[in-house]
Amino acid sequence: NWLVLMDAWTSPIEGKPGTSTYSPRLFISKIGSGIWDTLEPPTKAYVKTLYADSLGIYVGTYNSEVIEYNPEKKEWTNLNVKSSKDSLWYHIYGIHRFGGKLIVSMAGYDEILGYHAKVFLQNNSGWQELQIPRVRKDIYNESLTDPLYFVDAIELGKNLYVCTIDGVWKLDGSTLSWTELPKFPKMRWNSDNYDVYAVQDLIVYKDNLIAVDGTNDRVYQWDGANNWVALDSVITPTRITADGDTSYFTYNNSLLHISDIATDGKHLFISGDNPCPKVYMGDYGEPYGNILKGWRKIKLGWCKEGEGCVSTNATYSLDIIGDTIYAAAWEGLFKMPLSDLDTAIAGEKDYREIE
């Protein structure tokens, strides 16, 4: 029933003329009302993350706070995730739902302890701290690690899959133990065994786990066994150069700098470094059939022939609410009825032109 937005506002830093810090603002609107109200959490800390689902609206701050907002009652409740005995400073990176309960990922830095992180799962008596593994953070040295923290996550079956700075990890719903999934395929020449692949986003699409490789801007589908299958890239045969290095030639048909991925259950959408989103054509169906590794731009509502696009640079957050797709850009929030999708992609190319 509600739309909630977090913008990219910045504020001046006190005592440091000419400098500013990230201080996003929150806005809320009842769907169909056309009226936006400002949300002001009861905290002096800046907002770090926003999570909303059918059960509530949740805000994470730079000061270890997770605060719930009830839009019907217009009431805020501090969920007191971090223990008052913990004197360390944390940023709230991720808030998600797992098994009907909230799960929170927080991390911070201390000059003596270095990077530290915690993951809490809500239970009937409060919050349970989960044991977390360490993940690689350096592209050349596997011994350099940080404790696991995540921004995005998705539940599939009885497990939670999370995005980390180095690959996808699975939290088992029965044992609450962590397992690292195999790495994404290597796409860069002269890559070694310990390349770090940051995960940009995860989603469940037609009962399959879909991941965005944030290092190489590619979209993969997990086969449930040991392989990530690229949905958007065509790879030519490997070439061995004179000095023995292995080179890969990869043509990516989705978007560069992928920001977000979303689905209405029938189609897969992405946003990124383009004025308009794209839709996956690999299993689109009628009236266009299925075009393996194809992606088409959605220009209707965003772009007009001879006039350009209302979003001039990139699209960021994507959401499907009911029968409407919403896309956020610097210029504002845009929407399009999903019933217009067939028309919106008519005449668009399935593959990027290769120069």
Side-chain angles (χ1 to χ4, degrees):
N1 295 329
W2 300 89
L3 290 174
V4 187
L5 292 180
M6 183 172 77
D7 69 6
W9 193 257
T10 58
S11 299
I13 300 177
E14 186 177 351
K16 296 183 179 181
T19 62
S20 60
T21 186
Y22 184 58
S23 56
R25 303 169 299 178
L26 300 175
F27 304 92
I28 189 169
S29 174
K30 196 170 184 64
I31 294 177
S33 71
I35 299 173
W36 290 91
D37 294 319
T38 301
L39 285 183
E40 297 183 0
T43 175
K44 294 181 180 180
Y46 290 133
V47 171
K48 170 68 176 178
T49 188
L50 170 68
Y51 173 76
D53 61 14
S54 60
L55 299 179
I57 299 169
Y58 306 90
V59 173
T61 74
Y62 281 90
N63 190 23
S64 314
E65 300 163 305
V66 177
I67 311 171
E68 180 180 6
Y69 181 70
N70 184 319
E72 302 295 343
K73 297 181 179 180
K74 297 185 178 180
E75 293 179 351
W76 292 94
T77 303
N78 193 321
L79 300 184
N80 298 314
V81 178
K82 193 191 81 164
S83 169
S84 59
K85 297 179 181 180
D86 189 345
S87 61
L88 293 176
W89 189 284
Y90 298 87
H91 298 169
I92 303 299
Y93 278 89
I95 306 171
H96 292 274
R97 199 170 293 280
F98 180 36
K101 305 293 185 179
L102 290 178
I103 187 168
V104 175
S105 175
M106 59 178 70
Y109 179 79
D110 181 83
E111 291 185 356
I112 298 176
L113 299 176
Y115 286 98
H116 49 273
K118 289 186 175 182
V119 173
F120 291 93
L121 180 63
Q122 194 177 36
N123 58 29
N124 294 331
S125 60
W127 296 91
Q128 175 186 357
E129 182 178 352
L130 304 184
Q131 296 296 314
I132 53 175
R134 299 186 68 87
V135 299
R136 289 183 290 270
K137 68 173 184 178
D138 189 88
I139 194 170
Y140 299 113
N141 188 346
E142 68 169 330
S143 66
L144 297 179
T145 63
D146 277 338
L148 178 148
Y149 67 90
F150 59 86
V151 176
D152 290 305
I154 194 73
E155 186 173 2
L156 177 60
K158 296 182 179 180
N159 302 313
L160 186 75
Y161 297 84
V162 305
C163 304
T164 78
I165 56 175
D166 184 33
V168 178
W169 285 71
K170 180 184 73 173
L171 176 62
D172 188 289
S174 299
T175 64
L176 297 181
S177 60
W178 296 90
T179 303
E180 182 183 12
L181 270 62
K183 299 297 184 189
F184 298 132
K186 291 185 234 179
M187 294 294 178
R188 294 174 295 169
W189 68 274
N190 199 26
S191 55
D192 56 43
N193 292 329
Y194 304 113
D195 274 352
V196 172
Y197 290 119
V199 185
Q200 177 68 20
D201 204 359
L202 287 170
I203 199 170
V204 173
Y205 171 62
K206 296 185 177 179
D207 297 324
N208 293 303
L209 183 66
I210 307 295
V212 175
D213 175 358
T215 301
N216 294 298
D217 288 312
R218 289 181 177 87
V219 181
Y220 290 101
Q221 177 176 305
W222 176 241
D223 69 358
N226 296 301
N227 300 299
W228 291 100
V229 180
L231 297 185
D232 62 343
S233 49
V234 181
I235 307 170
T236 64
T238 301
R239 180 185 69 179
I240 305 298
T241 58
D243 58 3
D245 288 338
T246 302
S247 296
Y248 300 85
F249 293 87
T250 305
Y251 301 118
N252 187 14
N253 295 317
S254 56
L255 291 175
L256 297 176
H257 308 299
I258 297 171
S259 299
D260 203 2
I261 190 164
T263 181
D264 62 347
K266 183 179 179 181
H267 301 105
L268 189 66
F269 304 89
I270 56 168
S271 60
D273 194 10
N274 194 278
C276 53
K278 277 191 171 184
V279 61
Y280 178 54
M281 302 301 295
D283 55 3
Y284 189 93
E286 297 299 329
Y288 302 109
N290 301 329
I291 301 97
L292 183 64
K293 302 186 185 299
W295 295 77
R296 287 194 186 187
K297 293 180 180 179
I298 307 171
K299 288 188 174 181
L300 183 66
W302 279 276
C303 309
K304 293 182 180 180
E305 193 69 31
E307 297 182 21
C309 301
V310 288
S311 53
T312 57
N313 184 28
T315 46
Y316 299 97
S317 178
L318 281 180
D319 283 289
I320 312 292
I321 302 176
D323 59 359
T324 304
I325 179 172
Y326 294 85
W330 281 107
E331 293 80 4
L333 179 68
F334 304 95
K335 67 178 182 178
M336 185 195 77
L338 288 170
S339 58
D340 291 342
L341 182 60
D342 291 348
T343 304
I345 64 174
E348 294 299 318
K349 296 179 180 180
D350 297 308
Y351 302 99
R352 295 176 59 187
E353 293 183 355
I354 300 173
E355 299 179 355

